[in-house]
Structure formats: C-alpha cells, structure tokens
Amino acid sequence: MKLLLIISFSFFINLNSFALSVISDLDDTLKVTNVKNFLAATRNALFSKKAFGGVPSLLEEFSTYTTDLYIVTASPKFLNSPVRKFLRHNKIDTKKVVLRNLISERNKKQYKIESIKGILEATDNETFILIGDNTELDAEIYLEIKRQYPARIAQIYIRKIKDTKMSKEVIPFYTVFDIALSEFIAGRMNEVQVYQMANPILEDSGLVDYLPYFAFCPKMESDFRTQQFSPLNELSLQVRTKIISYCSARF
C-alpha cells in the first residue's frame, strides 16, 4: 500500500509538471479590432463581437490538451463589459481576463510583462503557449518573457497583421490553420483537429473573416514560413494556394 501511494503521488506530480496553458492577447489576435485606426478600433472595442475566422474552434481544440486560457490585453478596465460580451458571444472560456488600469499602468509593455509574469509566478507547474499579433509589441514582450522563463514557454505565435520581419523564435500566422499545423508538428494536435481548422478555409467563398481588409494579405509562397516536413504538407499547400488566390484578387 505504501509503495502504491508513492507511485500514485509521483504520477500526480509528473502530470502537473507537464500542464500546459495559453496566454493570449485580445485585439487583432482573437478579436477583429483594427487597433491602428483609432475610430475603427474605438467602435469595434465598444460594439463588435467579431472574432477572426476559426478562433473559437481553435481555442476549443486547445482546450482538449491545455488546462486554462488567460487573456492579457492592454484594453482599459472600463471595457470589461464589452470584452466579456465578446467572449460569451464566441463561447470562449477563460481562467482569467486581465485589463489595464490607464492611470497606474500607462506603459503598455511593462504592464503586459508584469501581468504575464504574475500568471507564471502563480502557476509554477505549468508551461505556456503565448499568442499575440504584430500591431504593437507582443512579439517583443513575449520574447522577454521567454528570456526570463525559458523552460516555461512552449511556443510563441504572432498573428501577422503588418508585413514586418519577425524573430525566428516566434511563429507567424495568418489563420488558425497555421497554428494548428504547428501544433501538429509539435505533437500536440492530431490530424483530425488540423483538418477541422483547414476545411472551413478551403470551403469559404471568401476569406474576409480570416484576413480582414486591414491585415497583410500574402500573395506569394515566400510570404509564408518555411514549412517543416509533415504528412499534412499537401493540405498545407491547398490552404496556402487558397489564401494566395484570395489575396491576389483582393486588390
């Protein structure tokens, strides 16, 4: 009996040591906001409940192998109600939503770093996937977190809204399929889950929900990250071809 208890306890500790959760930005990462346009951003922050195409489905698939979802946004605290409405409308379950105090947390970068560090310090048995976008400083913030907690960060995903170069330490993405494929290569998602992310893109007559008008739209194969070998390479090619065709015809 004593040996059994020791084995059980060891197994429990081992499970906890591999717990994985997600920390994500909100605006222009999960939610279509257009933060670089003040009027559009204000209107969308207050009234829109529109998520990027496939985001609710991706987060649902994440929930099959991650523990919690944390939202850390630079949006001010007075937008708590619209943020909650967005999450409820899209059936996104969160462990915690962190919003910024405009008076005491004026520096967005420092606010996000400290907020994410607070989550990591409160969950010392978990590793994290970080998701953001390149409209502002998410990549820089996440890389600083990874520098301070190298063993705690499993992956960094950055939605490519602007056509800017990114560090090789982050994985840029245009659609949820890019994340799903990367998660498959990492051994966390299965083929069925990846196909569930790809099929709506392939079946959509237009991709405006995935690539809104203000987002950079890739028109060449070179705009995409070099793909590692995968049994899903053919599927990846189909998705890329669809996106390139859409973007080439958009303007």
Side-chain angles (χ1 to χ4, degrees):
M1 176 63 72
K2 183 177 181 181
L3 179 61
L4 180 61
L5 287 173
I6 292 174
I7 293 174
S8 299
F9 181 73
S10 299
F11 181 67
F12 175 76
I13 293 297
N14 190 47
L15 280 178
N16 273 345
S17 67
F18 287 99
L20 179 68
S21 287
V22 177
I23 298 175
S24 179
D25 177 49
L26 180 67
D27 295 305
D28 287 344
T29 297
L30 306 181
K31 181 181 180 181
V32 177
T33 305
N34 193 7
V35 298
K36 287 304 181 181
N37 182 313
F38 178 78
L39 292 178
T42 301
R43 181 177 64 252
N44 291 330
L46 290 170
F47 306 113
S48 176
K49 302 183 186 71
K50 187 175 183 179
F52 279 88
V55 159
S57 297
L58 175 70
L59 296 178
E60 184 176 351
E61 297 304 330
F62 266 137
S63 71
T64 64
Y65 61 92
T66 63
T67 304
D68 293 306
L69 169 65
Y70 298 83
I71 303 291
V72 178
T73 172
S75 292
K77 289 182 180 292
F78 65 76
L79 290 177
N80 180 64
S81 179
V83 168
R84 297 290 180 179
K85 288 178 181 178
F86 165 81
L87 296 172
R88 286 196 299 271
H89 177 78
N90 291 285
K91 299 180 181 178
I92 298 173
D93 294 324
T94 60
K95 174 74 172 182
K96 186 176 183 180
V97 178
V98 184
L99 295 100
R100 184 166 60 105
N101 186 314
L102 291 181
I103 297 175
S104 62
E105 297 167 322
R106 295 183 180 181
N107 187 308
K108 291 182 181 180
K109 179 180 177 180
Q110 194 60 34
Y111 150 75
K112 276 200 167 184
I113 289 175
E114 293 304 320
S115 296
I116 295 170
K117 286 173 64 175
I119 293 171
L120 267 65
E121 294 295 337
T123 55
D124 57 3
N125 287 326
E126 293 186 42
T127 55
F128 287 87
I129 293 169
L130 306 180
I131 309 176
D133 63 81
N134 71 339
T135 58
E136 295 187 304
L137 299 172
D138 286 345
E140 184 178 334
I141 290 164
Y142 292 169
L143 288 171
E144 175 61 22
I145 293 295
K146 185 177 180 180
R147 186 189 68 79
Q148 295 186 35
Y149 302 86
R152 303 286 306 281
I153 306 305
Q155 193 56 266
I156 298 173
Y157 294 111
I158 298 293
R159 185 183 291 280
K160 196 169 183 179
I161 297 292
K162 300 190 298 182
D163 185 21
T164 57
K165 291 184 178 181
M166 297 191 197
S167 166
K168 293 182 179 180
E169 294 184 75
V170 309
I171 295 182
F173 72 98
Y174 296 111
T175 71
V176 293
F177 172 77
D178 299 322
I179 293 181
L181 185 61
S182 178
E183 288 294 288
F184 171 78
I185 292 170
R188 293 186 286 263
M189 275 196 187
N190 59 44
E191 288 192 27
V192 173
Q193 291 174 305
V194 179
Y195 270 92
Q196 288 175 339
M197 296 299 101
N199 287 337
I201 296 173
L202 295 174
E203 295 168 1
D204 198 335
S205 59
L207 298 178
V208 66
D209 289 341
Y210 294 86
L211 292 159
Y213 69 93
F214 60 84
F216 173 70
C217 210
K219 298 178 183 179
M220 299 180 292
E221 185 68 27
S222 59
D223 288 328
F224 292 86
R225 179 172 176 263
T226 302
Q227 186 59 59
Q228 301 180 40
F229 173 77
S230 161
L232 296 177
N233 278 357
E234 180 61 32
L235 179 65
S236 177
L237 178 61
Q238 292 177 31
V239 172
R240 291 183 183 203
T241 299
K242 174 69 180 287
I243 290 173
I244 290 171
S245 176
Y246 167 74
C247 291
S248 296
R250 191 169 80 166
F251 300 106

